[in-house]
Amino acid sequence: LRLLNDIPAPNQPGDPVTHLNNWYKGDIRSELDYVNYITRVDHNINSAWKMFARWNYNFRNGGRINYDGWDSPARRAVHLTRRNDGAALDAVGTISAHSVLSLRLGFNRFKEESIFTPADVSALGFPSSLTGQLQIPDKYPIITFENYLQTGNNETAILPSETFSGQASVLRTTGAHSFKYGFEYRVMRYASIGRANGQGTYGFTRSWTSSNPQINDAAGGNAIASFLLGYMNSASAVLNATPYLSSHYPVFFFHDDWQIGRASCRERV
């Protein structure tokens, strides 16, 4: 019964006979905030070498949507976020009259997830023996009532990824040729932390309070009455897979610009 305190009372008369459709959602909107910062520092070490460092950050806070307009822990709401962090360090130096050396380090991290306000599920009467087995034990459960709005909603997967990279290359001019060759190495990591139905879903229908649960009677029974009597129709919870992938990407490259009179020929490997 504690759960019914989190479901708001009707704010519309609804159908004169069944009293269904008695909740007006109001002004439901998606709110979004976005910030972006970029910082760069350039420095001339000496006449032959110069370098720069760059840092970037952006954060997308939203959309934030309260689908049914409820102001209670049972609301069906979503709060999505995306964050990106990056950095680069680059140094370029003249090592001879015909050669330039370039060194570069890079890093990028991206994370997408939805966040929620933790709830004390034990206050709803759920035993610790149950909540201790749930993937998300502190999120309000999804409880569906046939012909009524549900409580709670699923959370999206947490998707973090990051890339580390290093590159060294030489640009050398010799006669009609301009060579560029070097090496690049990347380490790429990705994870997917699924959370669908991690808090559990419990369903109540009209069947168990109709005149005959074995017969589908469109006018009989009530899902809320089934809930009050403890007649649950279905229940499920998921322990989602959380794969983690890591890959290494080494590569050598070679590029030749060959000037032949007024024409040019390019070769790449």
Side-chain angles (χ1 to χ4, degrees):
L1 296 181
R2 169 66 178 80
L3 182 141
L4 294 180
N5 294 330
D6 294 332
I7 299 178
N11 60 4
Q12 298 289 311
D15 185 274
V17 178
T18 65
H19 301 293
L20 296 177
N21 300 317
N22 57 11
W23 175 259
Y24 176 63
K25 295 183 179 181
D27 185 15
I28 307 303
R29 66 185 69 185
S30 175
E31 298 179 339
L32 172 66
D33 300 310
Y34 185 83
V35 295
N36 184 57
Y37 301 106
I38 299 177
T39 300
R40 173 169 169 152
V41 177
D42 291 87
H43 177 61
N44 290 327
I45 301 173
N46 52 42
S47 59
W49 284 88
K50 63 181 180 179
M51 64 177 295
F52 80 82
R54 188 195 72 243
W55 168 82
N56 62 275
Y57 163 85
N58 59 68
F59 183 69
R60 181 183 184 270
N61 188 14
R64 301 185 298 274
I65 308 173
N66 184 350
Y67 289 104
D68 299 316
W70 292 6
D71 186 21
S72 76
R75 61 184 175 273
R76 190 169 61 96
V78 64
H79 185 170
L80 303 175
T81 65
R82 292 178 182 174
R83 174 172 174 167
N84 190 73
D85 297 270
L89 179 65
D90 192 288
V92 179
T94 302
I95 55 178
S96 72
H98 301 283
S99 301
V100 175
L101 174 64
S102 178
L103 304 171
R104 185 181 182 90
L105 294 174
F107 165 75
N108 187 77
R109 174 178 290 154
F110 176 79
K111 185 178 182 181
E112 179 178 0
E113 66 176 324
S114 61
I115 58 179
F116 62 91
T117 302
D120 181 9
V121 179
S122 63
L124 299 177
F126 288 87
S128 58
S129 58
L130 171 63
T131 58
Q133 300 181 65
L134 298 176
Q135 183 181 9
I136 314 178
D138 59 346
K139 178 171 171 58
Y140 208 95
I142 298 175
I143 301 180
T144 62
F145 306 96
E146 186 179 357
N147 294 332
Y148 294 91
L149 297 176
Q150 71 178 52
T151 69
N153 64 288
N154 280 310
E155 292 297 320
T156 63
I158 301 175
L159 302 173
S161 63
E162 57 187 14
T163 301
F164 300 86
S165 63
Q167 184 186 91
S169 63
V170 174
L171 175 62
R172 180 177 177 80
T173 56
T174 302
H177 293 270
S178 178
F179 301 105
K180 185 174 183 179
Y181 52 89
F183 175 77
E184 181 175 353
Y185 190 82
R186 299 180 189 176
V187 177
M188 295 169 284
R189 299 169 179 167
Y190 170 80
S192 177
I193 306 172
R195 297 187 293 175
N197 199 20
Q199 75 276 41
T201 298
Y202 311 90
F204 296 87
T205 66
R206 299 177 295 105
S207 299
W208 295 110
T209 49
S210 62
S211 57
N212 186 343
Q214 306 301 322
I215 298 176
N216 185 14
D217 181 4
N222 184 281
I224 299 296
S226 297
F227 167 76
L228 293 174
L229 292 172
Y231 294 155
M232 185 164 54
N233 183 70
S234 63
S236 64
V238 176
L239 292 176
N240 292 272
T242 56
Y244 172 83
L245 306 175
S246 179
S247 60
H248 297 255
Y249 176 78
V251 60
F252 290 93
F253 58 89
F254 176 83
H255 178 97
D256 178 21
D257 278 340
W258 184 12
Q259 191 71 33
I260 309 173
R262 295 183 178 181
S264 64
C265 177
R266 293 185 177 180
E267 298 177 82
R268 297 179 182 178
V269 177

